[in-house]
Amino acid sequence: MHKTPRDIIAKKVAGKKISVVTAYDYSLALLCDRVGVDILLVGDSAGMVVLGYDNTIPVTMTQMQIFTEAVSRARENALVVGDLPFMSYQANVSDAIKNSGKLIKAGADAVKLEGGIEMADTIRAIVDIGIPVMGHIGLQPQTTMLSQGYRVQGKTKESAKKLIESAKALEEAGVFSITLEMVTSEVAKIISESVSVPTIGIGSGKNCDGQVLVIHDMLGMYDKLKPKFVKRYLSLSKEITKAVELYKKDVESGRFPGKENWFSMEKSELDALREEIG
Ligand code: KIV
């Protein structure tokens, strides 16, 4: 049986940290799930690290459904959270409910959407029909990017108060957890102590109840951006480049494929064929 939102909340109650990674495809999701991470987040960051967009704005519901299907086929243990892409939930509550339903049908156990107090009614409506929701405040890549660019959130008293107010409104609306993206560590600590649901930090310091990283960042597979908060556990770009270079050389020199990589006919069958075709 895989994890549920209730299990995620129980970890906060027990004082245990929650591990979250993004996943978009079957093979990587399988590895992360086997390790036992708590949540596989099918983030719309897929738009950047998998599809090559400059930001997450062009990502569509169809794309998110395909990624969610692939990840949910791989998981046995983790909770799968599907990210609602830009303009799939902002226009009206009906869109938000229908599109949340599409991600659940694609295999997600819960959905995530960006926004603070202004999204509380939408979140409540989704939760009321039985779909668990993860909130996302602080830097909201779908919209903060349009007005401010990448900026740390909660640096002033006023912006800190707004974040705290939003976190409380989201808790009140029924979210089971809240992502805090690029929030100052002091404000992330205050929020984590003020709400009963777990906070999942990305670039928000060590006092969040859990942490999330984009898997391509963590594995060193995405070179375009390297935010300060990313910890690279591997340099896969270098490893992959080396491997593909070796492969190219092997093909060009005839070293690949070797005998162990091909299939052969029985000699008698080959002789018979040669006789027939001349
Ligand atoms: O899309 C995503 O991967 C996210 C995480 C960065 C939290 O929203």
Side-chain angles (χ1 to χ4, degrees):
M1 181 58 193
H2 61 77
K3 291 187 175 143
T4 63
R6 187 190 282 241
D7 298 323
I8 304 302
I9 294 171
K11 285 198 92 164
K12 173 165 180 149
V13 174
K16 292 186 180 155
K17 294 280 186 186
I18 298 156
S19 55
V20 186
V21 284
T22 66
Y24 321 103
D25 73 301
Y26 179 80
S27 312
L28 276 182
L30 201 62
L31 297 177
C32 298
D33 188 70
R34 280 185 193 150
V35 167
V37 294
D38 294 304
I39 300 179
L40 294 172
L41 170 63
V42 189
D44 63 352
S45 50
M48 297 170 74
V49 300
V50 179
L51 300 175
Y53 299 134
D54 287 336
N55 52 53
T56 56
I57 289 173
V59 176
T60 66
M61 269 306 296
T62 305
Q63 289 163 346
M64 291 310 298
Q65 283 168 270
I66 293 170
F67 293 131
T68 303
E69 280 172 10
V71 170
S72 70
R73 277 184 214 117
R75 84 72 196 272
E76 278 186 14
N77 304 306
L79 181 84
V80 174
V81 177
D83 220 356
L84 286 164
F86 183 55
M87 288 320 291
S88 68
Y89 58 95
Q90 287 97 338
N92 55 62
V93 172
S94 163
D95 275 3
I97 291 178
K98 276 191 215 140
N99 287 320
S100 298
K102 285 183 186 169
L103 292 186
I104 299 295
K105 277 179 185 270
D109 307 304
V111 298
K112 175 167 86 57
L113 58 86
E114 295 178 11
I117 197 160
E118 73 287 355
M119 292 310 300
D121 288 343
T122 304
I123 290 171
R124 194 170 295 110
I126 301 171
V127 171
D128 278 353
I129 63 150
I131 297 179
V133 177
M134 176 187 270
H136 183 152
I137 58 174
L139 187 121
Q140 299 165 201
Q142 293 172 9
T143 50
T144 316
M145 291 300 298
L146 293 173
S147 55
Q148 303 174 25
Y150 270 104
R151 272 202 172 184
V152 178
Q153 308 289 306
K155 286 184 109 172
T156 63
K157 186 182 85 179
E158 280 317 307
S159 75
K161 272 168 63 186
K162 271 195 193 150
L163 285 167
I164 297 164
E165 189 186 24
S166 278
K168 287 185 176 165
L170 261 48
E171 176 189 31
E172 179 77 13
V175 297
F176 74 94
S177 63
I178 305 172
T179 296
L180 301 180
E181 181 159 354
M182 271 173 80
V183 171
T184 52
S185 66
E186 296 82 357
V187 175
K189 182 170 191 286
I190 295 172
I191 292 175
S192 304
E193 289 168 354
S194 317
V195 295
S196 60
V197 294
T199 56
I200 308 295
I202 175 159
S204 301
K206 59 185 282 200
N207 292 306
C208 298
D209 302 303
Q211 296 292 328
V212 56
L213 278 181
V214 169
I215 189 90
H216 286 60
D217 289 340
M218 180 205 293
L219 299 180
M221 272 173 87
Y222 183 72
D223 293 336
K224 244 173 148 177
L225 281 178
K226 161 79 174 76
K228 173 180 170 177
F229 58 78
V230 167
K231 179 166 175 183
R232 281 196 178 146
Y233 289 83
L234 274 180
S235 299
L236 265 195
S237 313
K238 280 191 203 137
E239 295 296 308
I240 292 172
T241 306
K242 249 191 261 163
V244 178
E245 272 168 7
L246 274 179
Y247 165 75
K248 178 174 173 282
K249 276 189 195 147
D250 277 359
V251 169
E252 287 169 355
S253 67
R255 246 191 328 264
F256 177 83
K259 215 172 168 186
E260 66 283 8
N261 306 117
W262 68 62
F263 309 94
S264 294
M265 289 174 80
E266 289 293 330
K267 186 171 177 317
S268 56
E269 285 295 315
L270 180 59
D271 290 345
L273 175 71
R274 285 220 164 105
E275 202 165 297
E276 202 170 308
I277 63 175

